[in-house]
Amino acid sequence: MTIPFSLYAGRESGLHPVHPLTRLTIAGFVLIAALLIPWTLGTYALFAGLLLPLAAWRRVAGLLLRAVFRFVFPFALSLFLIQGLFWTGGTPVVSLGPLSLKAEGLAFAAAMSGRILLIVSSFLLLAMTTRPDALMLALVQKGLPDQIAYIVLTTMQIVPRFQAKANTILDAQRSRGLETEGSLLRRIRGLLPLAIPLVLGSIVDIEERAIALEARAFSRQGEKTSLVDLPDSTFQRAFRWMLLGLTVALTVARLVSVLR
Amino acid sequence: MIDGLSIAVEDIRFTYPGGVEAIQGVTLSVSPGEAVAIVGENGAGKTTLVRQFNGLLKPTSGRVLVGEWDTREHSVATLARRVGYAFQNPDEQLFERTVRAEVAFGPKNLGFSSEDILASVHEALERVGLADAADQHPYDLPLSQRRLLALAATLAMQTPIVILDEPTTGQDAPSVARIGGIVDSLRQEGRTVITITHDLDFCAEHFPRVMVMASGRVLVDGPAREVLAQSDTLAEAEVDPPQLVRLARSLKLTNMPLTPEEFVTAWQRSRGE
Amino acid sequence: MISVHNLSYKYPGYSRLVLNDISLEVQRGEFVGIVGPNGAGKSSLCYALAGFIPHFYCGSLKGTVEVAGKIIADTTLGELAGSVGMVVQNPFNQITGARFTVLEEVAFGLENLGIPRDQIVPRVEETLALVGLQGFEERSPFALSGGQQQRLAIASVIAMRPDVLILDEPTSQLDPVGTRDVFAALHSLTQTGMTTVVLVEHKLEWIASFATRVIAMVDAKILADGNPLEVLVDPHIQEVGVGATRYTQAARLAQRRGLIPQDRALPVTLKDTQRFFEEPSHD
């Protein structure tokens, strides 16, 4: 099974089921920490000491590192170069002709990179290890309206279908002699025959899909069940509260230090 | 009068980007003015094959010639001068504000003169029985009539070759009869007609040549009367023979009838002996 | 199981009645085929029986509809869904998109009905086997072909085990094998005596072989209602656009040519037609 727009790696071991809310809390905690921790080293330590071991445990460490390398590394590199070279009035560390890397610039880049690393990898880790539907189910069980969960899940699947539909329409219009390649004018003229059936069709689709939802008792009041069991434990619940507490404490501490 | 064109398919294979080989070596030729029905179960490769005929798909290997044009060397829009393709789902193409404008879209793209556009739109709407609806909005018509409208839009392009993808799906008896009549008149004009269909009764009555496909190959290809009598091959392709063929077989008639008239004549003859 | 009294209906913004004074009683376990030309009101009748008229499509409604002991006008769609299942024409839009796999898609309705978790998977598996989709459990519903999606849409509704199952041209995308699977599945459901099936279909040969009763609709009205073998050979019905099987056409032609006595009842299916032509004519 592949889920469009999802990074889910499907490597659930099932041995130690971690409730999606626990994962979400970890990701949330790391995100806040990334923004608030004042020490540069702290962000890297959190990555190496928390996120990487967690990723290794869920068998996505390699995947995570590769993704981090692809998304964060180019960004960090440019940060280091730009901030290092163009920091005004800093202490040069290395000089090459008129160019020199300044210590303050490098320190700033390191701090920024650390935060970005944490933000990106906490999101990646969550996405790689958690099925979006499981996360939505967990949130619905905590009171998120069904409809919102449905919209999120269905959008992920309908967008590729939308692309397929656009291709079919394009095929039909080309078969009616519509030239879609060539001059800009030609392409613009080709837009309406493509866009109108796509929009009108989507309105019909939405109406029919609403009927399908009703036919599956989506709007039924009363207790619903779920095919998927999301095991939770007192330990996990306590852990989530602890992380939440920690997040709040971190925020307060940071606020206090800023206000002083 | 529009003369039909030939189609030559030379040992083509086709693999979808996903890696599925939907056409596994097909060679065939269709002469100008022939009417061919392609039958076979869902997933047999019928649609993939006919989409090669107007260049929507280009063969992975081998080649397809429409007249003397190699489909790989022409755009779909150019091939549309020679091949009209009526799609199954009208809602994936209708976009104009009136039925008339919708039918005129193809001829306009092909650069018809304004008199020719007027004449061919009129003729096409007459043919499908929508002349009275010319000023309506396409989406005010029910789905079955929108299907006929999409067919008219293809017919108005006056192409030598016409491809009909499941033309009878969701149509009631009068509309099926009308579509059958259109096929017959296209044949009389000498245009080449190719259809994909699950409706074997429709196929038997209007298409002298039948091609049976299964798993990306052509199992058998020949005169309808011979092909539709080959129960083993049809069974292999998961296709039910037409009702009258099944009836003739159950009554042990030797002639394979394709129409009720032929059946009654064959039955009468068998009793006379 | 179904009781309709003097039902009339107009879609909002239209002056034409799409249902004109329809009355109808259906018993539990019947397999009712609805035939008729396009625009006769067949789909609208389906919507009215399943509650989409008036709860989804507004418009002006007169008369009463009662299905599975529930007055449709007084029951919400959410409450109706467990008792009345509806499969609409276009299979592509019946995949809800709420779930990621075929198994989960079929399970979705059961989850909404509050069926206990341990019963869901066996019920889904059983239903998928019934429509010939076993082995597709882990596929994405959107990656299926039109015919497979049509089977999935039917399975998703059958799995909910409604008392009444309403299907509007459920085999339009299916080849003969798929059509046979669907009809056989519906037949087996009615054979239990628990499920009532109402089916709109143009494929007359299948209706004649499986339906226990046929209703012919023309111009928003019921024109004939009765035994399939009688209704489907009625020349009046054929003239208004219902059509006839090739069997009936051949038999009528033979009668018209005086080859077979006029009083012999016209056949609809292969078997009757064989008998029709084999019986010696006393001339």
Side-chain angles (χ1 to χ4, degrees):
Chain A
M1 180 190 61
T2 53
I3 303 172
F5 299 106
S6 161
L7 301 168
Y8 178 61
R11 295 189 189 161
E12 209 96 17
S13 59
L15 281 174
H16 303 280
V18 180
H19 195 270
L21 283 184
T22 309
R23 302 166 204 220
L24 188 66
T25 317
I26 295 174
F29 166 73
V30 174
L31 188 83
I32 301 286
L35 296 171
L36 298 182
I37 290 183
W39 320 285
T40 302
L41 211 57
T43 53
Y44 291 97
L46 209 51
F47 177 75
L50 180 67
L51 293 185
L52 261 191
L54 279 176
W57 180 41
R58 308 314 299 194
R59 298 192 288 158
V60 292
L63 215 58
L64 180 68
L65 282 175
R66 238 172 295 147
V68 161
F69 188 77
R70 265 179 52 202
F71 295 123
V72 182
F73 182 72
F75 198 72
L77 190 70
S78 60
L79 258 181
F80 273 94
L81 281 177
I82 292 168
Q83 297 296 343
L85 288 173
F86 301 115
W87 193 269
T88 41
T91 330
V93 189
V94 198
S95 291
L96 190 78
L99 299 174
S100 59
L101 288 171
K102 284 50 158 226
E104 289 82 353
L106 293 182
F108 177 79
M112 283 305 287
S113 302
R115 292 186 204 284
I116 291 161
L117 172 72
L118 267 193
I119 293 169
V120 170
S121 52
S122 68
F123 170 76
L124 284 175
L125 181 62
L126 178 71
M128 283 173 177
T129 56
T130 311
R131 279 183 55 157
D133 47 348
L135 184 59
M136 285 300 142
L137 176 62
L139 290 173
V140 166
Q141 286 170 351
K142 291 289 173 212
L144 179 83
D146 253 359
Q147 287 82 350
I148 292 181
Y150 172 72
I151 289 169
V152 171
L153 295 178
T154 199
T155 305
M156 297 177 73
Q157 300 192 77
I158 302 253
V159 170
R161 161 99 184 109
F162 203 67
Q163 289 166 339
K165 199 179 180 110
N167 283 332
T168 317
I169 294 170
L170 193 61
D171 278 354
Q173 308 300 35
R174 284 156 76 210
S175 302
R176 297 167 78 189
L178 181 72
E179 195 66 74
T180 49
E181 286 147 28
S183 71
L184 189 67
L185 188 70
R186 249 184 189 168
R187 284 178 204 216
I188 291 170
R189 246 188 295 163
L191 275 180
L192 276 189
L194 181 63
I196 293 177
L198 199 58
V199 171
L200 289 180
S202 301
I203 294 170
V204 174
D205 285 359
I206 289 167
E207 179 181 313
E208 291 190 345
R209 199 154 274 133
I211 290 180
L213 272 182
E214 290 292 355
R216 307 289 175 76
F218 185 61
S219 69
R220 177 180 164 272
Q221 303 295 310
E223 204 59 33
K224 293 184 176 181
T225 49
S226 165
L227 179 62
V228 189
D229 185 21
L230 299 176
D232 205 355
S233 60
T234 326
F235 172 73
Q236 286 196 48
R237 241 167 272 141
F239 180 71
R240 291 201 293 269
W241 281 113
M242 188 202 79
L243 273 187
L244 226 59
L246 212 58
T247 314
V248 172
L250 199 66
T251 317
V252 172
R254 189 73 187 137
L255 268 177
V256 170
S257 79
V258 167
L259 289 176
R260 268 190 201 154
Chain B
M1 194 73 191
I2 303 150
D3 284 330
L5 268 178
S6 65
I7 296 176
V9 174
E10 297 173 0
D11 191 27
I12 63 163
R13 289 177 171 272
F14 181 80
T15 308
Y16 278 105
V20 181
E21 191 176 36
I23 302 289
Q24 307 178 0
V26 167
T27 297
L28 61 94
S29 69
V30 179
S31 308
E34 259 194 304
V36 187
I38 304 177
V39 302
E41 67 177 326
N42 289 343
K46 308 183 297 286
T47 305
T48 311
L49 178 63
V50 298
R51 287 194 178 184
Q52 313 276 340
F53 298 169
N54 76 334
L56 280 174
L57 298 174
K58 316 263 173 170
T60 314
S61 70
R63 62 174 189 165
V64 176
L65 297 178
V66 177
E68 74 292 357
W69 288 1
D70 186 327
T71 57
R72 289 171 304 183
E73 290 159 11
H74 297 272
S75 72
V76 177
T78 310
L79 281 160
R81 293 171 192 288
R82 297 193 161 183
V83 188
Y85 191 123
F87 277 66
Q88 240 192 90
N89 185 354
D91 297 350
E92 287 173 344
Q93 68 177 73
L94 302 182
F95 75 100
E96 291 279 12
R97 283 166 193 219
T98 65
V99 164
R100 192 193 311 278
E102 193 68 60
V103 179
F105 178 69
K108 255 188 216 163
N109 285 331
L110 300 187
F112 283 27
S113 71
S114 42
E115 300 96 82
D116 286 351
I117 293 177
L118 224 60
S120 55
V121 167
H122 179 74
E123 189 218 356
L125 285 176
E126 285 284 341
R127 271 192 147 142
V128 301
L130 285 177
D132 291 340
D135 295 314
Q136 286 193 37
H137 195 285
Y139 284 89
D140 283 340
L141 303 177
L143 178 64
S144 51
Q145 288 187 14
R146 293 204 296 279
R147 289 210 170 99
L148 290 171
L149 170 57
L151 174 59
T154 303
L155 294 178
M157 292 161 67
Q158 312 271 5
T159 51
I161 300 168
V162 177
I163 296 177
L164 308 170
D165 191 346
E166 298 283 1
T168 62
T169 297
Q171 295 291 13
D172 57 11
S175 303
V176 172
R178 183 179 276 282
I179 295 165
I182 293 172
V183 171
D184 294 345
S185 69
L186 292 173
R187 277 171 55 199
Q188 267 162 21
E189 291 168 30
R191 289 158 84 173
T192 309
V193 188
I194 295 168
T195 192
I196 300 175
T197 186
H198 288 308
D199 187 342
L200 270 279
D201 301 309
F202 171 76
C203 157
E205 286 173 359
H206 303 285
F207 291 85
R209 174 171 165 194
V210 175
M211 195 180 288
V212 183
M213 284 192 76
S215 324
R217 290 196 179 84
V218 175
L219 286 187
V220 57
D221 174 7
R225 207 176 299 279
E226 287 166 26
V227 172
L228 295 175
Q230 295 183 24
S231 43
D232 293 346
T233 315
L234 293 184
E236 191 186 334
E238 307 268 21
V239 170
D240 284 339
Q243 292 174 5
L244 294 173
V245 169
R246 275 182 274 160
L247 179 62
R249 189 168 298 130
S250 76
L251 292 170
K252 306 200 169 52
L253 303 188
T254 44
N255 280 358
M256 278 304 133
L258 298 178
T259 62
E261 287 77 17
E262 285 183 18
F263 169 81
V264 172
T265 312
W267 177 71
Q268 202 177 355
R269 201 172 297 148
S270 76
R271 257 190 354 156
E273 285 159 9
Chain C
M1 190 48 45
I2 298 176
S3 174
V4 179
H5 290 290
N6 306 103
L7 173 68
S8 292
Y9 176 75
K10 273 189 276 213
Y11 282 102
Y14 288 87
S15 55
R16 197 174 80 89
L17 283 172
V18 289
L19 296 171
N20 186 356
D21 200 25
I22 303 272
S23 293
L24 168 71
E25 298 283 331
V26 179
Q27 306 306 315
R28 189 183 275 274
E30 279 194 84
F31 190 139
V32 182
I34 301 184
V35 298
N38 295 327
K42 307 185 299 288
S43 296
S44 302
L45 180 58
C46 288
Y47 282 136
L49 294 178
F52 289 98
I53 289 174
H55 296 301
F56 192 84
Y57 295 107
C58 310
S60 88
L61 177 86
K62 284 191 196 117
T64 58
V65 181
E66 192 185 324
V67 178
K70 291 174 174 154
I71 308 282
I72 295 285
D74 304 340
T75 316
T76 63
L77 284 173
E79 276 175 77
L80 276 174
S83 322
V84 189
M86 166 99 186
V87 179
V88 301
Q89 268 183 43
N90 181 351
F92 307 110
N93 289 332
Q94 289 183 77
I95 310 297
T96 61
R99 295 292 182 265
F100 291 126
T101 68
V102 165
L103 186 140
E104 293 164 5
E105 174 72 21
V106 180
F108 178 62
L110 305 183
E111 294 174 330
N112 288 331
L113 287 180
I115 307 294
R117 179 178 302 135
D118 54 344
Q119 294 175 24
I120 293 182
V121 174
R123 241 161 102 164
V124 172
E125 290 292 350
E126 183 190 317
T127 317
L128 286 177
L130 196 64
V131 300
L133 271 184
Q134 62 276 66
F136 287 85
E137 288 82 353
E138 293 304 314
R139 297 269 200 101
S140 162
F142 288 96
L144 301 181
S145 71
Q148 289 163 345
Q149 286 188 346
Q150 204 150 33
R151 293 174 191 234
L152 175 59
I154 295 166
S156 300
V157 172
I158 288 181
M160 294 167 76
R161 295 193 185 155
D163 298 310
V164 178
L165 200 52
I166 293 162
L167 308 103
D168 191 357
E169 292 187 44
T171 67
S172 61
Q173 299 293 320
L174 291 172
D175 54 19
V177 181
T179 306
R180 187 176 304 129
D181 286 351
V182 167
F183 270 90
L186 296 177
H187 180 67
S188 72
L189 288 176
T190 54
Q191 285 308 99
T192 61
M194 297 303 290
T195 312
T196 308
V197 169
V198 176
L199 169 86
V200 172
E201 184 59 76
H202 287 302
K203 298 174 182 171
L204 297 184
E205 189 187 1
W206 293 99
I207 290 277
S209 314
F210 286 96
T212 54
R213 172 176 167 190
V214 166
I215 293 175
M217 285 186 75
V218 175
D219 282 338
K221 289 190 171 195
I222 291 179
L223 192 68
D225 178 353
N227 184 323
L229 300 185
E230 287 163 16
V231 172
L232 293 176
V233 298
D234 183 344
H236 191 46
I237 296 295
Q238 288 173 28
E239 278 158 28
V240 295
V242 175
T245 62
R246 299 304 192 280
Y247 302 129
T248 312
Q249 291 174 17
R252 175 167 297 130
L253 188 65
Q255 268 185 346
R256 212 175 289 148
R257 290 197 185 162
L259 304 172
I260 286 185
Q262 295 295 324
D263 57 353
R264 195 176 293 173
L266 283 168
V268 186
T269 62
L270 177 60
K271 263 196 195 129
D272 326 321
T273 316
Q274 189 183 343
R275 227 175 292 132
F276 179 89
F277 280 104
E278 276 172 351
E279 214 172 291
S281 41
H282 314 281
D283 47 23

